[in-house]
Amino acid sequence: MLVRQELSYYRTPLLRLSRLERAFFPRDESRVYAKYEGANPTGTHKDRAAVLHVQRALEGGFRVLTAGTCGNFGVSLAYYSRMVGARAVIFVPRRYTLERMSELRRYGAQLVLVDGSYEDAVSASVRAASENGWYDANPGSINSRVSFEAYSALAHEITWELGDPPDTVVLPVGNGTTLAGVHMGFSKLRGLGYVERVPRIIGVTTVHGNSVVDSFLGGMERAMPLRRVKETRYNEPLVSMISFDGDAALAALRESGGSALRVTDRAMVGYSRLLRELEGIDALPASASVLESLRFLGEGTHALVITSRWHLP
Ligand SMILES: Cc1ncc(COP(=O)(O)O)c(C=O)c1O
């Protein structure tokens, strides 16, 4: 089909982190891998969701797509929309000084600045989609499952490379979409009889507030909205007052027997430096936060999903 030809896609590398293994597991046979999503064309895992949303939009006859964003997803959506001659209308919180704003412009996105938070930008985008008949690519929207499906490919690729699912998969958490999608991927593989078990899923986020992780650690049934969060330069992809796919992520953490961790900005930046120094891998601090798990993991095979390279200005 024409759309598929225009938007071909490739795998990202699964890299063995042997120096980190020696540093964190000096006495056992543990293996640690990075699924490096920084290798995607726009530098983040959001490309996976954007490709599939653009495909679905074109298949459904839409020529305009919209999403609210703090940066990464908007850049991906704009990049792939332009590739097929569609228009991306991206809603951005006005007060954010987005490091990736110039890329949004370069890829021809129509920007709408919104007074308020990321959550307000998503709500404004959802409203605009329904009023104007645009394709809604927002997390938590009617097309949420498209993102889950896109991220489920991470589970397939990791399993294909290792021959078996790892014992643990560690992901950074914002809305919970990526984590829920990866869990869905492993569950499907088990449902189809390709693998026997689903890995334990660990979610890592900021100490400054994330609805999924705070609800999980607080023993809540559902992902509860937080009253107050603190956005910083480093935690912005992870901090979340309302996690739009929070219930699905919470279920994934529980069903997989997983756990959740919170990391300071200082630690995230430290892990980013460590990844660069030991393994030569360029990772956004929020993405490098997954290294926190290495302090707690037992012996086994562990896959860390590094969601983004560091887009230095
Ligand atoms: C680089 C990066 N990592 C992780 C996340 C969190 O992903 P999710 O919102 O699917 O939980 C985001 C979300 O914006 C992101 O941009």
Side-chain angles (χ1 to χ4, degrees), residues 2 52 68 76 129 135 149-150 197 219 249 292:
L2 181 67
L52 208 53
S76 292
Y135 180 91
E149 196 184 322
R197 59 186 170 78
E292 173 79 1

Side-chain angles (χ1 to χ4, degrees), residues 45-46 72 172-178 237-238 284 287 307-308:
H45 71 302
K46 300 279 177 180
N72 294 331
V173 182
N175 279 315
T177 318
T178 317
L238 310 180
L284 188 75
S287 302
T307 46
S308 177

Side-chain angles (χ1 to χ4, degrees), residues 88-109:
V89 184
I90 306 297
F91 289 70
V92 176
R94 186 187 301 278
R95 71 188 141 100
Y96 281 20
T97 46
L98 293 184
E99 284 174 3
R100 308 197 67 189
M101 201 66 119
S102 61
E103 282 172 275
L104 279 171
R105 293 213 173 86
R106 195 177 332 131
Y107 300 145

